Amino acid sequence: MSKAKAYKIIESIIFIILGILIAVSILNASILNYLLGGCVTLLGIFLFIKCATEQKNVNFLLPTGVASAILLACGISMLANYINAVELLQKVIIVGVLAIGILLIIDAIVRFIRKQNTPGITELVVGLILTILAILFMVIPEMNSYLWVVFGVLLAIYGVYLLVQTLITLKK
């Protein structure tokens, strides 16, 4: 197994764990802020190690190194309560879910034009669900406590998808 595949497996496991932790931590915003800070810090450390070990000539000024430094700084700032990640991320997640929902709807329309009905129907249903959820989160602020559950579940599903995709490529 190559380093790239090992990193993909580790990255997907981090997404799964992060998604589960976010989904179950709807009780207290400060706990969520610490959790996000810890996870962002861990992701920064992971990217830093990846940058340091992936190349023969280590250069931290490449995009991975810069991203790792920014993530480390943001994660530590969240842990020190300098950045309130919960409020900021709520808005980003809502807009992101809306954008992904609309993107899935557009992709479904393209699939229907290409006569790929089965994936088109699946994408259309998921796109409509995500779009409606995002609009509900925008219109009804009381639903924002459930936003983290939805986001955590979506993040965990994405991690599982990445893991399965990587394991399938390993078998080939």
Side-chain angles (χ1 to χ4, degrees):
M1 177 175 10
S2 68
K3 280 185 186 179
K5 303 256 185 196
Y7 285 132
K8 278 271 195 205
I9 291 172
I10 293 169
E11 187 177 20
S12 61
I13 291 171
I14 289 173
F15 277 127
I16 293 168
I17 293 170
L18 178 62
I20 292 170
L21 289 174
I22 289 173
V24 299
S25 67
I26 62 171
L27 300 175
N28 190 340
S30 65
I31 291 173
L32 188 56
N33 200 49
Y34 288 126
L35 175 67
L36 289 171
C39 290
V40 170
T41 302
L42 286 175
L43 186 59
I45 291 169
F46 171 74
L47 286 178
F48 183 80
I49 292 170
K50 182 179 176 182
C51 182
T53 61
E54 202 170 46
Q55 306 158 13
K56 291 180 183 175
N57 296 328
V58 177
N59 184 357
F60 291 112
L61 296 178
L62 293 175
T64 306
V66 172
S68 69
I70 292 170
L71 287 172
L72 275 167
C74 289
I76 292 168
S77 297
M78 286 178 214
L79 290 172
N81 285 326
Y82 181 72
I83 295 176
N84 186 354
V86 175
E87 291 176 15
L88 174 67
L89 285 177
Q90 279 180 340
K91 304 277 188 222
V92 170
I93 290 169
I94 292 170
V95 171
V97 168
L98 180 64
I100 291 169
I102 292 170
L103 187 64
L104 284 170
I105 292 170
I106 293 169
D107 197 55
I109 293 169
V110 170
R111 287 189 186 272
F112 288 140
I113 292 170
R114 292 182 180 165
K115 308 249 189 267
Q116 299 172 338
N117 292 335
T118 304
I121 291 171
T122 304
E123 285 184 354
L124 181 63
V125 169
V126 173
L128 286 172
I129 290 171
L130 291 178
T131 303
I132 291 168
L133 275 173
I135 291 170
L136 286 173
F137 287 131
M138 288 177 181
V139 175
I140 306 170
E142 294 82 28
M143 286 187 59
N144 283 348
S145 62
Y146 299 108
L147 173 69
W148 296 103
V149 175
V150 172
F151 178 67
V153 169
L154 289 174
L155 199 59
I157 290 171
Y158 179 68
V160 169
Y161 170 76
L162 283 178
L163 183 62
V164 168
Q165 189 178 32
T166 304
L167 292 177
I168 288 172
T169 57
L170 279 177
K171 288 187 178 183
K172 290 182 180 180

